[in-house]
């Protein structure tokens, strides 16, 4: 599992978008994020794929057979040693232990005050 923006592997943070790589994890054709009409939020199952963080379903962004992107649920914040697993068409992967990071994620961009070159005219 890596940060979806930077592909850096490390601790995860609640609200971070992460990407998992593997085989036979989802459908052959890509499934994309949808809105759950009953909640108005991102669906937690797309293309038959569900990512679980300690049993909490993650909002889904993208799923294929080899790559899945999801949002780390905010509800895992108080869990000291979370795990993640994938469910697809009745099959459940092994749990993968995670390290929980702080509120700042590994792939979040930072602005600095250092700049070079001409600014706007």
């Amino acid at each position: 599992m890596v940060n979806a923006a930077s592909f850096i592997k490390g601790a995860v943070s609640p609200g971070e978008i992460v990407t998992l790589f593997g085989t036979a994890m989802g459908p052959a054709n890509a499934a994309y994020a949808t809105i759950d009409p009953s909640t108005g939020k991102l669906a937690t199952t797309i293309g038959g794929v569900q990512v679980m963080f300690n049993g909490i379903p993650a909002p889904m962004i993208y799923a294929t057979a080899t790559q899945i992107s999801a949002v780390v649920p905010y509800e895992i914040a108080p869990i000291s040693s979370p795990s993640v697993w994938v469910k697809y068409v009745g099959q459940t992967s092994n749990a993968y232990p995670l390290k929980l990071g702080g509120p700042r994620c590994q792939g979040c961009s930072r602005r600095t005050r250092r700049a070079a070159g001409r600014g706007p005219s």
Side-chain angles (χ1 to χ4, degrees):
M1 177 180 301
V2 297
N3 176 279
S6 66
F7 286 175
I8 293 173
K9 184 178 182 180
V12 299
S13 298
E16 178 180 2
I17 301 174
V18 294
T19 299
L20 297 86
F21 295 98
T23 57
M25 298 190 311
N29 295 320
Y32 298 98
T34 60
I35 300 297
D36 180 336
S38 65
T39 65
K41 298 178 181 179
L42 283 174
T44 56
T45 302
I46 59 173
V49 178
Q50 194 172 41
V51 177
M52 307 293 284
F53 287 82
N54 272 53
I56 302 164
M60 298 291 296
I61 305 292
Y62 176 83
T64 67
T66 59
Q67 181 176 337
I68 299 171
S69 292
V71 181
V72 178
Y74 285 98
E75 294 86 353
I76 72 159
I79 301 169
S80 59
S81 299
S83 294
V84 63
W85 57 89
V86 176
K87 292 175 142 186
Y88 177 58
V89 292
Q91 299 291 317
T92 302
S93 72
N94 292 331
Y96 178 79
L98 300 172
K99 290 182 182 171
L100 194 60
R104 186 178 250 308
C105 67
Q106 296 261 354
C108 296
S109 62
R110 288 186 278 189
R111 291 184 178 248
T112 64
R113 292 184 180 239
R114 291 181 20 198
R118 271 184 84 189
S121 306

